[in-house]
Amino acid sequence: MIIDTHIHLDDKRYKDDLDEVLNRARVGGVKKFIIPGADPSTIEKAIKIAQNNEDVYFAIGVHPYDLDSFENLNFEQYVSHEKCIAIGECGLDYFRLEGTDEEKQILKQKQKEIFIAQIEIAKKYKKPLIVHIRDASRDSKEILLEYNASEIGGVLHCFNADEELLSLAKENFYFGIGGVVTFKNAKKLINVLPKNPLEKLLIETDGPYLTPTPHRGQRNEPIYTLLIAEKIAEILNKPLSVIENITTSNAINLFHIS
Ligand SMILES: [Zn+2]
Ligand SMILES: [Zn+2]
């Protein structure tokens, strides 16, 4: 059994065959699905999917690329929903920043403010965080420590293999491993993976993005969590069933779903 801890089922690329996507995954052993919040314009869709499917949960949050929508998002309205299990994805992403150095500084500052605001919301409502970090490990770690995010913990989704982040395992943080681990150029992640405590690993697809080998170029979907679990088992030299059981109980521990 596997839990797909990060799957954008509210993405338009699933709108025509969502039930088939979910059923394929269920038959393959995927037990639960978590839709992260990213773009608030699709949150109603995410809630509807979670209401219609007992095994689907959602999170509420604003991605660092969608900062403008933060002000209009009424977190309070959503956090009390019984299927809302986390705050995020939120975090820092410096990969695609555009403009002059000065403009980039302003954007970074805004990302930080909105990340901090979401950490505070998570603490207030006692929900774990789904954290998105790209090209911003040092600043992200600093903020998580400074604002005591360990109170609620969370997942560093799509773990970027940066060793600097490994110490956050001691601060109640988990590491989301996705399709990247199957890529030919994943050497860094493959080297770092054994240094991750097993009791802090989670599996995620991040579908429709980051499709694992051998399906690269196609839409990603939750059934492919199996390919990720197999690859992790191979790297750590453990039976597949051990990887499935541990990552599933890790997800249950973090998100309090049973
Ligand atoms: Zn992300
Ligand atoms: Zn995502």
Side-chain angles (χ1 to χ4, degrees):
M1 289 189 303
I2 294 180
I3 298 181
D4 189 348
T5 58
H6 196 108
I7 168 74
H8 296 277
L9 295 173
D10 53 341
D11 190 278
K12 57 181 182 310
R13 292 173 69 187
Y14 298 115
K15 82 172 179 358
D16 293 329
D17 63 346
L18 180 67
D19 288 339
E20 286 140 69
V21 167
L22 289 172
N23 283 330
R24 253 196 303 278
R26 287 169 183 139
V27 169
V30 183
K31 198 186 168 198
K32 291 179 194 301
F33 310 83
I34 297 174
I35 309 175
D39 171 2
S41 69
T42 59
I43 182 70
E44 295 298 336
K45 203 165 154 194
I47 293 175
K48 211 169 152 199
I49 298 168
Q51 272 167 348
N52 291 341
N53 296 277
E54 208 188 325
D55 48 6
V56 176
Y57 300 80
F58 73 94
I60 176 82
V62 174
H63 192 281
Y65 288 159
D66 273 299
L67 299 179
D68 290 341
S69 48
F70 179 74
E71 281 187 23
N72 298 320
L73 184 63
N74 183 356
F75 278 82
E76 235 144 290
Q77 181 190 337
Y78 300 108
V79 282
S80 56
H81 193 290
E82 58 172 1
K83 298 303 258 325
C84 178
I85 48 130
I87 301 297
E89 51 184 300
C90 57
L92 303 179
D93 189 327
Y94 298 163
F95 180 68
R96 259 187 349 197
L97 290 182
E98 280 169 8
T100 62
D101 282 353
E102 200 183 333
E103 284 163 341
K104 283 182 186 166
Q105 280 312 320
I106 293 168
L107 283 170
K108 283 183 183 180
Q109 196 48 39
K110 190 160 184 214
Q111 285 196 11
K112 287 181 190 174
E113 281 164 21
I114 291 176
F115 183 29
I116 292 164
Q118 292 182 86
I119 294 172
E120 295 298 354
I121 290 167
K123 279 162 42 182
K124 180 173 174 193
Y125 293 101
K126 299 191 166 51
K127 303 265 184 204
L129 287 161
I130 297 173
V131 183
H132 171 108
I133 301 172
R134 190 161 182 198
D135 286 358
S137 295
R138 182 155 303 170
D139 286 358
S140 303
K141 183 174 164 177
E142 246 175 54
I143 287 174
L144 289 170
L145 293 175
E146 189 181 340
Y147 290 86
N148 297 318
S150 60
E151 269 178 39
I152 31 134
V155 54
L156 310 180
H157 114 83
C158 195
F159 175 49
N160 63 12
D162 196 336
E163 295 206 32
E164 184 164 4
L165 297 173
L166 285 176
S167 65
L168 288 171
K170 296 195 301 284
E171 308 288 337
N172 208 4
F173 278 87
Y174 293 69
F175 300 84
I177 308 298
V180 172
V181 78
T182 68
F183 294 178
K184 269 206 191 77
N185 58 2
K187 284 202 185 71
K188 195 175 163 200
L189 183 54
I190 289 168
N191 287 332
V192 170
L193 202 57
K195 299 181 188 171
N196 260 299
L198 205 50
E199 68 277 8
K200 293 290 180 191
L201 290 186
L202 299 179
I203 291 178
E204 62 174 50
T205 51
D206 203 10
Y209 315 104
L210 296 174
T211 312
T213 305
H215 303 287
R216 287 190 79 175
Q218 300 166 32
R219 179 187 69 175
N220 199 358
E221 48 174 281
I223 182 74
Y224 298 154
T225 49
L226 290 166
L227 297 169
I228 298 162
E230 276 167 13
K231 188 70 194 184
I232 295 174
E234 181 194 313
I235 295 166
L236 299 181
N237 197 19
K238 300 243 186 268
L240 178 61
S241 61
V242 168
I243 298 303
E244 290 190 2
N245 290 341
I246 290 181
T247 55
T248 295
S249 72
N250 292 346
I252 290 170
N253 287 341
L254 176 62
F255 294 113
H256 306 294
I257 44 179
S258 51

PDB file of all heavy atoms in Angstrom, residues 6 8 36 38 63 89 132 157 206-207 209, ligand 2:
ATOM      1  N   HIS A   6       1.388  13.859  -2.777  1.00  0.00           N
ATOM      2  CA  HIS A   6       1.414  15.151  -3.492  1.00  0.00           C
ATOM      3  C   HIS A   6       0.971  14.926  -4.928  1.00  0.00           C
ATOM      4  O   HIS A   6       1.763  14.556  -5.783  1.00  0.00           O
ATOM      5  CB  HIS A   6       2.842  15.718  -3.441  1.00  0.00           C
ATOM      6  CG  HIS A   6       2.930  17.176  -3.781  1.00  0.00           C
ATOM      7  ND1 HIS A   6       3.182  18.149  -2.832  1.00  0.00           N
ATOM      8  CD2 HIS A   6       2.802  17.838  -4.958  1.00  0.00           C
ATOM      9  CE1 HIS A   6       3.209  19.329  -3.407  1.00  0.00           C
ATOM     10  NE2 HIS A   6       2.988  19.177  -4.701  1.00  0.00           N
ATOM     11  N   HIS A   8      -1.625  16.702  -7.897  1.00  0.00           N
ATOM     12  CA  HIS A   8      -2.516  17.819  -8.259  1.00  0.00           C
ATOM     13  C   HIS A   8      -3.714  17.308  -9.065  1.00  0.00           C
ATOM     14  O   HIS A   8      -3.827  17.568 -10.260  1.00  0.00           O
ATOM     15  CB  HIS A   8      -1.745  18.867  -9.058  1.00  0.00           C
ATOM     16  CG  HIS A   8      -0.650  19.535  -8.296  1.00  0.00           C
ATOM     17  ND1 HIS A   8      -0.874  20.603  -7.456  1.00  0.00           N
ATOM     18  CD2 HIS A   8       0.678  19.281  -8.215  1.00  0.00           C
ATOM     19  CE1 HIS A   8       0.273  20.994  -6.904  1.00  0.00           C
ATOM     20  NE2 HIS A   8       1.233  20.198  -7.345  1.00  0.00           N
ATOM     21  N   PRO A  36      -2.297  18.941  -2.926  1.00  0.00           N
ATOM     22  CA  PRO A  36      -1.762  20.151  -2.302  1.00  0.00           C
ATOM     23  C   PRO A  36      -2.459  21.385  -2.866  1.00  0.00           C
ATOM     24  O   PRO A  36      -2.895  21.370  -4.020  1.00  0.00           O
ATOM     25  CB  PRO A  36      -0.286  20.132  -2.719  1.00  0.00           C
ATOM     26  CG  PRO A  36      -0.273  19.372  -4.000  1.00  0.00           C
ATOM     27  CD  PRO A  36      -1.415  18.394  -3.961  1.00  0.00           C
ATOM     28  N   ALA A  38      -2.195  24.987  -4.411  1.00  0.00           N
ATOM     29  CA  ALA A  38      -1.121  25.697  -5.118  1.00  0.00           C
ATOM     30  C   ALA A  38      -1.702  26.954  -5.737  1.00  0.00           C
ATOM     31  O   ALA A  38      -1.312  28.069  -5.427  1.00  0.00           O
ATOM     32  CB  ALA A  38      -0.488  24.814  -6.178  1.00  0.00           C
ATOM     33  N   HIS A  63       1.305  28.724  -3.569  1.00  0.00           N
ATOM     34  CA  HIS A  63       2.619  28.404  -4.135  1.00  0.00           C
ATOM     35  C   HIS A  63       3.413  29.702  -4.340  1.00  0.00           C
ATOM     36  O   HIS A  63       2.829  30.745  -4.625  1.00  0.00           O
ATOM     37  CB  HIS A  63       2.357  27.722  -5.492  1.00  0.00           C
ATOM     38  CG  HIS A  63       3.541  27.069  -6.104  1.00  0.00           C
ATOM     39  ND1 HIS A  63       4.503  27.783  -6.771  1.00  0.00           N
ATOM     40  CD2 HIS A  63       3.901  25.771  -6.156  1.00  0.00           C
ATOM     41  CE1 HIS A  63       5.420  26.925  -7.220  1.00  0.00           C
ATOM     42  NE2 HIS A  63       5.076  25.701  -6.853  1.00  0.00           N
ATOM     43  N   GLU A  89       0.870  23.848  -0.912  1.00  0.00           N
ATOM     44  CA  GLU A  89       2.279  24.002  -0.818  1.00  0.00           C
ATOM     45  C   GLU A  89       2.664  25.465  -0.767  1.00  0.00           C
ATOM     46  O   GLU A  89       2.156  26.294  -1.517  1.00  0.00           O
ATOM     47  CB  GLU A  89       2.994  23.299  -1.987  1.00  0.00           C
ATOM     48  CG  GLU A  89       2.471  23.648  -3.383  1.00  0.00           C
ATOM     49  CD  GLU A  89       3.195  22.818  -4.447  1.00  0.00           C
ATOM     50  OE1 GLU A  89       4.409  22.887  -4.577  1.00  0.00           O
ATOM     51  OE2 GLU A  89       2.480  22.065  -5.148  1.00  0.00           O
ATOM     52  N   HIS A 132       7.470  23.758  -0.485  1.00  0.00           N
ATOM     53  CA  HIS A 132       8.082  23.705  -1.826  1.00  0.00           C
ATOM     54  C   HIS A 132       9.348  24.563  -1.803  1.00  0.00           C
ATOM     55  O   HIS A 132       9.286  25.754  -1.502  1.00  0.00           O
ATOM     56  CB  HIS A 132       7.064  24.240  -2.844  1.00  0.00           C
ATOM     57  CG  HIS A 132       7.612  24.458  -4.220  1.00  0.00           C
ATOM     58  ND1 HIS A 132       7.291  23.648  -5.290  1.00  0.00           N
ATOM     59  CD2 HIS A 132       8.456  25.412  -4.715  1.00  0.00           C
ATOM     60  CE1 HIS A 132       7.920  24.094  -6.365  1.00  0.00           C
ATOM     61  NE2 HIS A 132       8.626  25.152  -6.054  1.00  0.00           N
ATOM     62  N   HIS A 157       8.516  18.798   0.079  1.00  0.00           N
ATOM     63  CA  HIS A 157       8.056  18.030  -1.062  1.00  0.00           C
ATOM     64  C   HIS A 157       9.046  18.190  -2.216  1.00  0.00           C
ATOM     65  O   HIS A 157       9.755  19.182  -2.294  1.00  0.00           O
ATOM     66  CB  HIS A 157       6.621  18.457  -1.411  1.00  0.00           C
ATOM     67  CG  HIS A 157       6.471  19.128  -2.717  1.00  0.00           C
ATOM     68  ND1 HIS A 157       6.354  18.422  -3.887  1.00  0.00           N
ATOM     69  CD2 HIS A 157       6.430  20.422  -3.050  1.00  0.00           C
ATOM     70  CE1 HIS A 157       6.247  19.293  -4.870  1.00  0.00           C
ATOM     71  NE2 HIS A 157       6.297  20.494  -4.402  1.00  0.00           N
ATOM     72  N   ASP A 206       3.670  14.263  -7.576  1.00  0.00           N
ATOM     73  CA  ASP A 206       3.605  15.644  -8.062  1.00  0.00           C
ATOM     74  C   ASP A 206       2.963  15.692  -9.452  1.00  0.00           C
ATOM     75  O   ASP A 206       3.221  16.603 -10.232  1.00  0.00           O
ATOM     76  CB  ASP A 206       4.979  16.330  -8.068  1.00  0.00           C
ATOM     77  CG  ASP A 206       4.873  17.860  -8.017  1.00  0.00           C
ATOM     78  OD1 ASP A 206       3.763  18.381  -7.784  1.00  0.00           O
ATOM     79  OD2 ASP A 206       5.894  18.528  -8.229  1.00  0.00           O
ATOM     80  N   GLY A 207       2.124  14.687  -9.750  1.00  0.00           N
ATOM     81  CA  GLY A 207       1.423  14.689 -11.031  1.00  0.00           C
ATOM     82  C   GLY A 207       0.570  15.937 -11.170  1.00  0.00           C
ATOM     83  O   GLY A 207       0.115  16.463 -10.167  1.00  0.00           O
ATOM     84  N   TYR A 209       3.028  16.558 -13.207  1.00  0.00           N
ATOM     85  CA  TYR A 209       4.420  16.858 -13.559  1.00  0.00           C
ATOM     86  C   TYR A 209       5.356  15.707 -13.162  1.00  0.00           C
ATOM     87  O   TYR A 209       4.965  14.796 -12.448  1.00  0.00           O
ATOM     88  CB  TYR A 209       4.889  18.139 -12.836  1.00  0.00           C
ATOM     89  CG  TYR A 209       3.878  19.250 -12.892  1.00  0.00           C
ATOM     90  CD1 TYR A 209       3.104  19.568 -11.767  1.00  0.00           C
ATOM     91  CD2 TYR A 209       3.645  19.959 -14.064  1.00  0.00           C
ATOM     92  CE1 TYR A 209       2.142  20.566 -11.808  1.00  0.00           C
ATOM     93  CE2 TYR A 209       2.696  20.963 -14.118  1.00  0.00           C
ATOM     94  CZ  TYR A 209       1.940  21.258 -12.990  1.00  0.00           C
ATOM     95  OH  TYR A 209       0.991  22.237 -13.031  1.00  0.00           O
TER      96      TYR A 209
HETATM   97 ZN    ZN B   2       3.106  20.457  -6.458  1.00  0.00          ZN
END
